[in-house]
Each structure stands twice: as structure tokens, then as C-alpha cells.
Amino acid sequence: RGYHQVPDEQAFGSYFTRLESGGSYDTDKINISERNEIETNAQKSGQILTTQQRDSYLFEAQPSQTVNIVVNALDADLDPIVELFDPEEFLIASNDNFINRGKNAVISIQLPESSFVGRDVLPNPSTYRIAVSAVHGSGSFTRDEEEDINVYVKEAKTGNYELKLFT
């Protein structure tokens, strides 16, 4: 939004940031299936290989359209997380361990009609981004002598997953 160049009343305060591993960024947009989940084949598949890895996928949809996003783990150790970002890259939904789905992640959402701040109507269609990552293990215990603290080094929980997007 350019707040780093021209600050306004929203540009000040406390912020939370995190470091992410890039993962794959697939620029080919996923077509939304009009079938149910069982009849929808996986539109994308991927593999989590590193800690904090986030794979990204794009799709176009109409504002106010209801969509379902399912990320199924194909390997027992993988615990996927799915996040959905609006056209302005604001997080609008996320899930880990959907009810009665084990470790699989599911989002069912009616997409917003306007931007995150509510001032602008979103274009029709709009491009949304799905990010797939995974819960990681706490890893091994180690001592950081320089900081004089005990730490756990994060450990990647690797595995394969499939992604479905449908109405």
C-alpha cells in the first residue's frame, strides 16, 4: 500500500512478522471445480521439504462466491496448513486440522465483496492466493552459548499433499 513511502494513520504501531521459506509459486491459475469434493480430482500436488516452506497457488473467483479449499496429506507425518489471501494479500482465512478430517486442512468461505479495509469493491473476477505449509516439529534441544539460552531447532515435517478447489 506504499506506507513505507507515505505514512498515514495506519502506518504506525506494533507489527508481527515472520520469515518464510519460499517454496514453489505456481503462476498457473487453478480452475474452480463445479463438482463436489469426491468428484473433484486434485488440481495441484506438492511436497513440503523444508521448515517454514510455503507453496503458493492462484485462482480467480467472483467476489461473494463461495469456495471450498481442501489440502489432504498424502504422507502420515505431514500436517498441512492452508491459508487464503485476498487480491490485496490480506489473510482472510486459514485452517489446520479441520474437524473430523484428521490432519487435513479445509477452508469453506464466501469470498468478501470489498477490500480488507472495506473502502473498495473488489474487481470481478479477482485473483486470490492459496498458501500451503505444514506444522513442523520442535526438533532437537540445543544450547546457544552466545545467548546463554536453551533452544529447540525446528525440524521440517516433510511429505506430499494434494490440493482441491471447488464450489
Side-chain angles (χ1 to χ4, degrees), residues 68-161:
N68 300 287
I69 303 165
V70 174
V71 179
N72 292 314
L74 301 178
D75 296 309
D77 283 346
L78 189 66
D79 186 358
I81 299 170
V82 64
E83 297 171 313
L84 177 61
F85 294 86
D86 74 3
E88 296 177 332
E89 283 296 315
F90 284 103
L91 177 67
I92 56 174
S94 65
N95 182 256
D96 172 34
N97 299 345
F98 194 76
I99 299 169
N100 297 323
R101 299 291 297 258
K103 293 181 179 181
N104 297 324
V106 177
I107 293 174
S108 182
I109 186 172
Q110 182 177 1
L111 299 171
E113 292 181 14
S114 60
S115 67
F116 181 74
V117 293
R119 289 186 282 209
D120 302 317
V121 174
L122 293 173
N124 185 7
S126 288
T127 300
Y128 297 84
R129 182 172 67 93
I130 299 168
V132 177
S133 59
V135 174
H136 49 74
S138 58
S140 59
F141 176 78
T142 193
R143 176 94 180 139
D144 184 333
E145 298 298 336
E146 186 175 312
E147 296 291 326
D148 193 31
I149 57 173
N150 297 324
V151 297
Y152 284 91
V153 178
K154 291 181 180 178
E155 174 183 275
K157 294 290 186 180
T158 61
N160 296 297
Y161 64 86

Side-chain angles (χ1 to χ4, degrees), residues 36-51:
N36 63 31
E37 180 181 359
I38 294 171
E39 295 174 343
T40 299
N41 294 324
Q43 287 109 320
K44 297 290 178 175
S45 59
Q47 184 177 34
I48 301 294
L49 298 170
T50 62
T51 302

